[in-house]
Amino acid sequence: MLRSMLALLLALGTSAALGADIGQIKVAKGTVTIERAGASLPAAIGTHLQASDVVTTGGDGSVGITMTDNSLLSAGPNSVLALDRYDYDEVTSTGRFDASLRKGTLAVVSGRLAQQSPDAMTVRTPSAVLGVRGTEFVVSVGDGR
Amino acid sequence: MAASRRAARYALLTLVAWLAGCTTNERIILLPEPNGGPTSLAVRQGAREVLLDRPYAAAELTLADPWRYDATPDEVRRAFGDTLAAQPERPAHFTLYFIEGSDDLTEDSKQTLERMFADLDKRAVRDVVIVGHTDTVGSDPFNDALAKKRADTVATMLAARGVDPKDIVAIGRGRRELLIATPPGIAEPRNRRVEIVVR
């Protein structure tokens, strides 16, 4: 009984989190698209992002994103950046942020989540997991440049 | 027997050396903090971990191990110039202070407001988070309402300045997050504030 109630609560929690605004595209040049729930949407300056969005740039593209915890992510041309998981409690600054760079280049300035806890933010590449303790770094995967 | 074991070990060592030489084309470079503060990044590949803990400390991932090296500002410019050029404007933080019991700004804060407007004007697309606070004079319900009223006052000023209301979040936290800890019933000007993040 308790377990099924818990499962229901978890399901409700997840559906409430679906579609929540987690960040905004502040900079977009060239071709930038968002893959969301199987659809491909054009991404313009001002577009709001949701957890599980995958942001892709073309050969002429680059994109800059500000998350609600004040972290900044930017990707260069020919990049695929997935915002795999994002939970942020504005009041306590706690939660979890997992992103992955599947290819291309990424620059990160971490925000309040990583500041609050060294385990709260990770960035994955195909071969490694980066635990974000400090704030600014760059990552490249493949020959995207 | 010993010879074949040696041969097997040699083959294994050769394989490890070969794997270590095979790069995965993945690279991570830690950058300096703008204020020169400490920074670090843990790079975990399977069971192995290297810690990058000073500016330009870098790791190239091979099939066997993360290979630690020192990058240069020039390498960062060449490989990440476009990427860094796309970084959003950094969030800016402002604090406005209020006259006791009211949503009227203090004289000093009117200047801060002008600086905030100037910052807003240089951003192509803005979103703003406004959090109102009070001191400990009065009840919780009174302070919750006052904190929200202060945040809403600032939100109205920003909307009048052209910020889209749907890109403004205004909340009040009453007397729950004091900047200066005081007992109940203390009029403390530094607690009567609204904190604003402009992004």
Side-chain angles (χ1 to χ4, degrees):
Chain A
M1 180 60 188
L2 193 64
R3 187 177 286 182
S4 63
M5 273 174 63
L6 198 65
L8 180 68
L9 276 177
L10 280 173
L12 285 173
T14 323
S15 64
L18 265 182
D21 173 20
I22 65 167
Q24 189 181 36
I25 293 184
K26 300 288 191 183
V27 177
K29 285 187 196 136
T31 312
V32 183
T33 54
I34 301 169
E35 287 155 47
R36 179 180 297 164
S40 185
L41 320 165
I45 291 176
T47 304
H48 289 276
L49 295 164
Q50 302 176 2
S52 304
D53 281 354
V54 179
V55 181
T56 302
T57 59
D60 60 343
S62 62
V63 65
I65 300 164
T66 301
M67 306 297 289
T68 55
D69 81 324
N70 294 339
S71 42
L72 310 179
L73 306 180
S74 63
N78 295 313
S79 298
V80 179
L81 170 67
L83 306 173
D84 301 309
R85 177 176 169 184
Y86 190 87
D87 301 305
Y88 175 56
D89 183 328
E90 189 89 46
V91 177
T92 59
S93 296
T94 55
R96 175 101 207 177
F97 183 16
D98 297 323
S100 47
L101 182 69
R102 296 184 190 159
K103 68 168 193 158
T105 54
L106 172 70
V108 176
V109 179
S110 64
R112 297 188 67 175
L113 279 168
Q115 191 179 23
Q116 189 70 22
S117 154
D119 299 315
M121 181 179 182
T122 64
V123 175
R124 282 164 196 277
T125 70
S127 333
V129 181
L130 315 181
V132 181
R133 313 275 153 83
T135 73
E136 309 206 9
F137 59 97
V138 287
V139 186
S140 67
V141 172
D143 54 6
R145 74 179 77 216
Chain B
M1 187 64 187
S4 72
R5 195 174 295 163
R6 250 201 318 273
R9 180 178 295 173
Y10 178 75
L12 183 67
L13 284 175
T14 310
L15 179 68
V16 168
W18 177 76
L19 285 174
C22 283
T23 117
T24 60
N25 266 323
E26 296 177 26
R27 184 161 46 145
I28 299 108
I29 306 173
L30 189 64
L31 298 180
E33 296 295 283
N35 58 10
T39 180
S40 71
L41 187 68
V43 179
R44 286 188 295 277
Q45 188 177 10
R48 297 171 197 275
E49 176 171 312
V50 296
L51 188 69
L52 308 180
D53 59 0
R54 59 170 195 271
Y56 299 104
E60 173 102 39
L61 305 182
T62 71
L63 292 181
D65 261 327
W67 175 64
R68 170 82 176 71
Y69 74 104
D70 287 307
T72 61
D74 193 49
E75 178 185 343
V76 171
R77 254 193 311 274
R78 268 185 287 115
F80 297 95
D82 294 342
T83 315
L84 290 165
Q87 262 184 345
E89 190 84 44
R90 290 173 189 246
H93 302 262
F94 299 91
T95 306
L96 300 174
Y97 296 92
F98 292 80
I99 311 281
E100 187 174 356
S102 80
D103 62 340
D104 297 327
L105 289 175
T106 63
E107 280 307 314
D108 282 354
S109 288
K110 288 176 185 165
Q111 288 168 29
T112 309
L113 191 68
E114 287 307 316
R115 280 195 291 116
M116 185 171 76
F117 286 156
D119 181 276
L120 274 165
D121 288 344
K122 71 179 188 202
R123 292 171 193 265
V125 54
R126 300 83 68 90
D127 74 297
V128 184
V129 181
I130 305 167
V131 183
H133 303 274
T134 66
D135 62 23
T136 60
V137 175
S139 65
D140 266 340
F142 170 80
N143 281 310
D144 284 347
L146 180 58
K148 179 72 168 82
K149 191 174 173 201
R150 285 174 176 163
D152 286 342
T153 298
V154 176
T156 306
M157 291 179 200
L158 290 172
R161 190 74 183 191
V163 182
D164 191 332
K166 74 176 192 311
D167 289 326
I168 302 176
V169 174
I171 54 176
R173 293 214 184 118
R175 59 181 181 182
R176 290 176 190 81
E177 286 175 32
L178 302 175
L179 188 63
I180 308 295
T182 71
I186 301 297
E188 168 53 64
R190 285 168 294 179
N191 284 334
R192 297 194 292 268
R193 71 205 193 276
V194 162
E195 293 170 341
I196 302 146
V197 183
V198 177
R199 300 188 287 224

